[in-house]
Amino acid sequence: MIIFAASLISAVLLTLSFPKFGFAFLAPVALAPYFCALLIRKEGTWKGVFFSAYLLGLVWHVASIWWLSYVSCAGMLALSAFLALLFAAFILLAVYFARKGFCPALSFALFILFYELTISYLFTGFPWLLLGMALHKNPLLIQTADIFGVHFISFLLAFTSASIAAVARERSVRSFTVIASVILLWTLSACYGFYRMKEMGSEEPVRSLKVSMIQLNLPPELKHDDSKDEETLDDYLKATEKTAPESELVIWPETGVPGIYNDYGNPALKVLQRFRTRVKVPLLCGLTWAEKDRTSGEIRFFNSASLLDNSAMLPRDRYYKKHLVIFGEYVPLERYLPFLKLLTPIPSSYTPGTLSHVIDLKREDGSIFKLGALICFEDVFPESAREAVREGAEILVNLTNDGWFFDSPGPYQHAALSSFRAVETRRELLRSSNTGVTVLIDRLGREKALLTSEGKSVMVVGGMLCRAVGYS
């Protein structure tokens, strides 16, 4: 029973470490109770190890991603159960190697790292509850992400918990060597963070861009109510007019423009025509784009980030989302298993894009500012942000819609993951959300500007004017 009690304690500590609770100081010790139970009760059966690890993983994930139940309760439980199964499998491997004589602390830390790498890439990946994410508000300790990514920070946190367990098990030279190794790694990490923060603080920016981001806190039901489309866009237009005169670019979030944009019956076109005449500032917004496949004749739909300016109603430049949400934007195997469409509210699947992430913004002086577009949860995947930078992005821009998740931990967790993309790529990140966190994150992962109202940063109505700095 001790091992199961310890697994529950660790599950609670892990949950409290992550946003929205955000007690980051618990992260280094969160797994220590469970690791202690595993090491001290080393005669425990394999069945006990597996089920205790599964209990820990299940409780932790259900308590941390319960907000997915707003979309699908069954889906949330199934995902939590699957992640818990993977977690238990890797804990089994860690215990196996520890019992074979491998350093227990290192074994636990490495297999937690392997677990995180697996969930980050398996079945397109769900790199959500990564241990390192808990430290997103501690810039000194996350700067190593530009070399090793967030997974190295997760390894350090797991290694810290495991070293505490090693000392609790026995006072030996090996256990104190492990503790010394942990202290050394954290010290080196902090020294590197201090060096990078000082170095980057003294760099002169290449150039900057004045940006206005608009958030209306629209309920998700409006997305499927065509009768409200024109009213919604009028609200966006009114909010934009308050900040647009001082900006060089206006940003609306994902699905900011309802309907299919290039459907000439779309009432959005009339409102956007008024936008062109009244605001006269380029607009980067999320919209659905339809194209006819030249070979099959099939109509394909794309979730796009599109740049509209005063020269024409057609987008000046656009990016099509590549990393689609399963059952949210596409149904796997829907051609062969059409009944799967019953599991999702979407009328038809989107098509993954192939266009460059980079959107070219032409400024009044004729120069081009390169924006790296990321849509929805593409900002949780390091490779998407790095691809945008390789293509020449000077600033990253994430258009997202966390409207389904209200004021739950979901939007806060999503924003926390975004901060690591800024550190990894050393690019500032503009994040425009419909209901979630609208923020400008600097290259050190810090909040440079945050849209708030009455102390809240989620489900806020308003606009934010900020200056983003570009680097190449």
Side-chain angles (χ1 to χ4, degrees), residues 257-273:
V257 176
I260 299 169
Y261 183 77
N262 53 333
D263 173 1
Y264 292 102
N266 187 350
L269 296 175
K270 293 189 295 182
V271 179
L272 289 171
Q273 181 62 42

Side-chain angles (χ1 to χ4, degrees), residues 19-20 67 128 402-417 431 433 435-437 457-459:
K20 173 177 176 181
W67 42 269
W128 202 265
D402 292 329
W404 299 99
F405 309 125
F406 307 100
D407 193 21
S408 71
Y412 298 94
Q413 293 169 2
H414 192 180
L417 285 163
R431 191 168 187 279
S433 178
T435 62
V437 180
S457 58
V458 166
M459 301 187 75

Side-chain angles (χ1 to χ4, degrees), residues 395-411:
I395 289 175
L396 297 175
V397 182
N398 175 223
L399 308 184
T400 189
N401 177 16
D402 292 329
W404 299 99
F405 309 125
F406 307 100
D407 193 21
S408 71

Side-chain angles (χ1 to χ4, degrees), residues 138-381:
N138 192 323
L140 183 68
L141 298 178
I142 67 172
Q143 299 310 310
T144 53
D146 70 347
I147 303 175
F148 305 113
V150 64
H151 298 293
F152 175 70
I153 303 165
S154 297
F155 169 81
L156 282 182
L157 290 169
F159 198 23
T160 303
S161 284
S163 69
I164 294 171
V167 171
R169 177 193 182 189
E170 60 178 1
R171 308 296 196 273
S172 65
V173 173
R174 186 167 78 164
S175 62
F176 283 108
T177 300
V178 169
I179 284 286
S181 299
V182 169
I183 294 172
L184 177 62
L185 287 173
W186 279 117
T187 301
L188 290 174
S189 181
C191 288
Y192 179 76
F194 178 79
Y195 163 74
R196 290 296 274 162
M197 291 174 73
K198 184 177 180 181
E199 178 191 45
M200 297 178 69
S202 63
E203 287 182 2
E204 291 295 327
V206 177
R207 53 184 178 162
S208 62
L209 182 71
K210 287 197 294 184
V211 178
S212 173
M213 293 192 285
I214 307 301
Q215 178 167 318
L216 289 189
N217 187 28
L218 298 173
E221 297 80 19
L222 280 182
K223 185 177 178 180
H224 304 289
D225 187 352
D226 296 343
S227 66
K228 300 288 186 179
D229 287 354
E230 192 166 351
E231 180 183 340
T232 297
L233 283 166
D234 266 326
D235 290 339
Y236 267 115
L237 181 55
K238 291 172 185 174
T240 300
E241 287 180 311
K242 296 177 182 178
T243 57
E246 301 177 58
S247 61
E248 299 172 86
L249 174 69
V250 172
I251 301 178
W252 293 354
E254 180 189 15
T255 65
V257 176
I260 299 169
Y261 183 77
N262 53 333
D263 173 1
Y264 292 102
N266 187 350
L269 296 175
K270 293 189 295 182
V271 179
L272 289 171
Q273 181 62 42
R274 295 200 293 273
F275 180 95
R276 289 178 61 205
T277 57
R278 287 161 54 179
V279 177
K280 299 180 181 179
V281 174
L283 170 67
L284 179 64
C285 60
L287 55 85
T288 297
W289 189 264
E291 288 184 4
K292 187 174 183 179
D293 187 274
R294 295 180 181 179
T295 304
S296 65
E298 181 182 2
I299 301 297
R300 300 185 300 169
F301 300 95
F302 298 91
N303 186 352
S304 82
S306 296
L307 182 66
L308 304 170
D309 62 19
N310 295 323
S311 61
M313 286 303 293
L314 291 178
R316 172 65 59 184
D317 203 354
R318 59 184 180 268
Y319 161 71
Y320 293 155
K321 186 181 180 186
K322 298 177 181 179
H323 210 126
L324 302 179
V325 179
I326 187 170
F327 293 115
E329 292 174 313
Y330 81 99
V331 179
L333 303 174
E334 69 172 314
R335 180 173 296 180
Y336 308 103
L337 302 172
F339 67 88
L340 289 176
K341 293 184 69 173
L342 299 175
L343 300 176
T344 175
I346 60 174
S348 59
S349 291
Y350 284 96
T351 301
T354 57
L355 299 177
S356 166
H357 285 272
V358 173
I359 291 176
D360 290 338
L361 172 66
K362 188 174 182 180
R363 309 175 81 178
E364 289 186 357
D365 62 4
S367 64
I368 301 296
F369 208 107
K370 294 186 175 295
L371 311 172
L374 303 168
I375 300 175
C376 189
F377 81 144
E378 285 186 320
D379 62 333
V380 309
F381 296 98

